[in-house]
Amino acid sequence: MGNSMVGDRATSFRMLDGRVRNLDGHLRRLGLNAKSEKMFLSELRRQFQEFAAQGNDAANPIVYVSGDQWRIMMRPDRPFESLIMVDAVGHLDERSRPLIKGPDLSWLSTRMEISRSRGADEGILVDRTGNVVEGIFSHIVAFSDGQAIVSGHSRTMPSVTAEQVLSELRGRRLDISVRSNGFMADELMDAEVWFLNAFSGIRRVAGWVGKNFRRYTALDHHDSNRRVPDYRSLNRRLWEMSDVV
């Protein structure tokens, strides 16, 4: 496919030993026809085998799609932390197409640079009322009063990783509460919070960075109604369910 193609949609993920978490979810996001999908999977497999032959067991591919034309960029793996600090100063969500991954990636990258300059690992997008829509590059799940809370905001992008995580939580009989207006920032700071994405899986929020403060979450907090799974074991479970390309 032409190297100049940016595409009107995209997906990206971590590929480990030739496996991808929720590969079907990424294929649905790409929306390729059957012939193009088969060719894409064959090329993804070939490129990863070349990458692995150079001594790499993991990679971070990004796939750009326009119509049924696609392009793979096989990017190197990179380190990440499972416990993160999040920028409490929200970025006004100015994405042009918030429900589709791809068109706003460059703009989101500039927001991430700002949050990292403040000492955070991730940031949040907020609407004009100040409600939290989602993370810059992550879907948010919060736990409070024995429930898992997710955003049903009209600008929250469907998450490939959240598909599997929420299914696992339901399987463990945890109630899921959908907030149609997103989250309030204060409630996130008072809850156990996970940031989900297809590269780093589940990351747990260790604390929040503000203009004049660093507020840490009580990671050992327990209450009588708490049935929150261990995020590390659920991360392992996601890789156990991963698909061989």
Side-chain angles (χ1 to χ4, degrees):
M1 307 303 160
N3 288 335
S4 62
M5 188 187 78
V6 173
D8 52 25
R9 58 193 186 277
T11 200
S12 61
F13 42 85
R14 190 166 191 242
M15 199 168 178
L16 180 63
D17 294 327
R19 304 182 71 93
V20 176
R21 292 170 293 202
N22 196 7
L23 178 60
D24 286 347
H26 289 288
L27 293 176
R28 287 194 300 274
R29 175 180 277 176
L30 293 176
L32 298 170
N33 63 35
K35 181 179 178 180
S36 293
E37 182 177 294
K38 183 177 180 180
M39 292 173 62
F40 159 71
L41 289 172
S42 177
E43 178 63 11
L44 180 62
R45 187 181 309 115
R46 185 193 70 78
Q47 287 196 26
F48 185 78
Q49 288 171 348
E50 285 189 357
F51 209 68
Q54 300 170 17
N56 304 293
D57 62 354
N60 177 211
I62 185 167
V63 186
Y64 296 101
V65 172
S66 182
D68 279 307
Q69 300 293 304
W70 46 264
R71 178 170 64 93
I72 301 170
M73 291 180 61
M74 188 62 71
R75 304 174 298 184
D77 197 29
R78 62 185 190 275
F80 62 91
E81 299 294 334
S82 294
L83 290 174
I84 60 172
M85 297 294 292
V86 177
D87 185 3
V89 182
H91 302 275
L92 180 62
D93 185 4
E94 296 178 327
R95 290 173 294 175
S96 61
R97 300 177 71 187
L99 303 184
I100 299 174
K101 181 167 182 172
D104 298 291
L105 287 175
S106 294
W107 179 81
L108 289 168
S109 293
T110 66
R111 302 306 97 184
M112 184 66 85
E113 289 175 7
I114 293 169
S115 284
R116 286 178 175 162
S117 73
R118 295 171 181 159
D121 302 296
E122 246 278 13
I124 52 176
L125 302 176
V126 299
D127 65 16
R128 295 189 181 279
T129 68
N131 284 351
V132 179
V133 177
E134 58 187 345
I136 294 175
F137 285 122
S138 299
H139 191 85
I140 298 174
V141 180
F143 297 90
S144 183
D145 297 326
Q147 289 186 325
I149 307 167
V150 296
S151 173
H153 195 287
S154 60
R155 294 180 66 84
T156 298
M157 183 185 298
S159 167
V160 171
T161 305
E163 283 183 13
Q164 289 192 313
V165 170
L166 295 180
S167 177
E168 286 293 303
L169 295 179
R170 290 188 186 97
R172 300 177 191 207
R173 300 183 182 278
L174 199 68
D175 292 333
I176 310 294
S177 176
V178 180
R179 295 286 174 80
S180 60
N181 294 320
F183 301 97
M184 292 181 292
D186 287 347
E187 75 173 327
L188 290 180
M189 292 187 192
D190 290 333
E192 173 164 338
V193 178
W194 294 355
F195 273 50
L196 318 178
N197 65 41
F199 175 73
S200 47
I202 305 167
R203 294 174 297 167
R204 191 178 184 186
V205 176
W208 299 81
V209 179
K211 289 181 179 178
N212 299 303
F213 71 89
R214 292 175 69 88
R215 175 176 174 179
Y216 288 87
T217 302
L219 294 177
D220 59 349
H221 173 70
H222 291 272
D223 61 54
S224 58
N225 295 319
R226 195 169 185 269
R227 293 186 291 118
V228 182
D230 179 74
Y231 76 100
R232 293 160 296 191
S233 66
L234 191 46
N235 265 327
R236 291 192 292 270
R237 172 64 178 153
L238 295 180
W239 277 119
E240 289 170 1
M241 296 189 296
S242 62
D243 305 290
V244 178
V245 176

